[in-house]
PDB file of all heavy atoms in Angstrom:
ATOM      1  N   HIS A  37      -0.662  -5.476  -2.756  1.00 98.00           N
ATOM      2  CA  HIS A  37      -1.285  -6.532  -1.952  1.00 98.00           C
ATOM      3  C   HIS A  37      -1.611  -5.999  -0.570  1.00 98.00           C
ATOM      4  O   HIS A  37      -1.169  -4.911  -0.191  1.00 98.00           O
ATOM      5  CB  HIS A  37      -0.401  -7.779  -1.901  1.00 98.00           C
ATOM      6  CG  HIS A  37       0.901  -7.609  -1.166  1.00 98.00           C
ATOM      7  ND1 HIS A  37       1.951  -6.867  -1.661  1.00 98.00           N
ATOM      8  CD2 HIS A  37       1.318  -8.079   0.034  1.00 98.00           C
ATOM      9  CE1 HIS A  37       2.961  -6.907  -0.810  1.00 98.00           C
ATOM     10  NE2 HIS A  37       2.605  -7.623   0.231  1.00 98.00           N
ATOM     11  N   HIS A  39      -0.903  -6.765   2.584  1.00 96.00           N
ATOM     12  CA  HIS A  39      -0.058  -6.705   3.789  1.00 96.00           C
ATOM     13  C   HIS A  39       0.055  -5.262   4.264  1.00 96.00           C
ATOM     14  O   HIS A  39       0.125  -4.329   3.462  1.00 96.00           O
ATOM     15  CB  HIS A  39       1.347  -7.263   3.493  1.00 96.00           C
ATOM     16  CG  HIS A  39       1.423  -8.755   3.625  1.00 96.00           C
ATOM     17  ND1 HIS A  39       2.234  -9.523   2.838  1.00 96.00           N
ATOM     18  CD2 HIS A  39       0.777  -9.611   4.465  1.00 96.00           C
ATOM     19  CE1 HIS A  39       2.085 -10.805   3.186  1.00 96.00           C
ATOM     20  NE2 HIS A  39       1.206 -10.869   4.159  1.00 96.00           N
ATOM     21  N   HIS A  42       2.311  -2.495   2.813  1.00 96.00           N
ATOM     22  CA  HIS A  42       2.031  -2.027   1.453  1.00 96.00           C
ATOM     23  C   HIS A  42       0.671  -1.346   1.349  1.00 96.00           C
ATOM     24  O   HIS A  42       0.502  -0.405   0.582  1.00 96.00           O
ATOM     25  CB  HIS A  42       2.101  -3.208   0.466  1.00 96.00           C
ATOM     26  CG  HIS A  42       3.458  -3.832   0.410  1.00 96.00           C
ATOM     27  ND1 HIS A  42       4.350  -3.594  -0.610  1.00 96.00           N
ATOM     28  CD2 HIS A  42       4.099  -4.650   1.280  1.00 96.00           C
ATOM     29  CE1 HIS A  42       5.474  -4.254  -0.372  1.00 96.00           C
ATOM     30  NE2 HIS A  42       5.339  -4.904   0.769  1.00 96.00           N
ATOM     31  N   HIS A  95       2.288 -14.006  -4.331  1.00 98.00           N
ATOM     32  CA  HIS A  95       2.782 -13.780  -2.959  1.00 98.00           C
ATOM     33  C   HIS A  95       1.735 -14.181  -1.925  1.00 98.00           C
ATOM     34  O   HIS A  95       2.001 -15.032  -1.069  1.00 98.00           O
ATOM     35  CB  HIS A  95       3.157 -12.298  -2.855  1.00 98.00           C
ATOM     36  CG  HIS A  95       3.540 -11.817  -1.503  1.00 98.00           C
ATOM     37  ND1 HIS A  95       4.573 -12.367  -0.772  1.00 98.00           N
ATOM     38  CD2 HIS A  95       3.037 -10.799  -0.741  1.00 98.00           C
ATOM     39  CE1 HIS A  95       4.680 -11.706   0.385  1.00 98.00           C
ATOM     40  NE2 HIS A  95       3.762 -10.770   0.426  1.00 98.00           N
ATOM     41  N   ASP A 116       5.697  -7.608  -3.443  1.00 97.00           N
ATOM     42  CA  ASP A 116       6.330  -8.833  -2.949  1.00 97.00           C
ATOM     43  C   ASP A 116       5.883  -9.971  -3.865  1.00 97.00           C
ATOM     44  O   ASP A 116       4.762  -9.962  -4.352  1.00 97.00           O
ATOM     45  CB  ASP A 116       5.881  -9.131  -1.515  1.00 97.00           C
ATOM     46  CG  ASP A 116       6.357  -8.072  -0.521  1.00 97.00           C
ATOM     47  OD1 ASP A 116       7.343  -7.369  -0.817  1.00 97.00           O
ATOM     48  OD2 ASP A 116       5.738  -7.960   0.552  1.00 97.00           O
ATOM     49  N   GLU A 333       5.753  -7.726   7.345  1.00 63.00           N
ATOM     50  CA  GLU A 333       4.420  -7.947   6.792  1.00 63.00           C
ATOM     51  C   GLU A 333       3.348  -7.399   7.720  1.00 63.00           C
ATOM     52  O   GLU A 333       2.317  -6.925   7.282  1.00 63.00           O
ATOM     53  CB  GLU A 333       4.154  -9.439   6.567  1.00 63.00           C
ATOM     54  CG  GLU A 333       5.249 -10.171   5.833  1.00 63.00           C
ATOM     55  CD  GLU A 333       5.306  -9.883   4.347  1.00 63.00           C
ATOM     56  OE1 GLU A 333       4.984  -8.761   3.930  1.00 63.00           O
ATOM     57  OE2 GLU A 333       5.688 -10.792   3.610  1.00 63.00           O
TER      58      GLU A 333
HETATM   59 ZN1   ZN B 401       3.886  -8.859   1.510  1.00 61.31          ZN
END
Side-chain angles (χ1 to χ4, degrees):
H37 67 289
H39 275 146
H42 298 258
H95 174 57
D116 295 338
E333 311 285 33

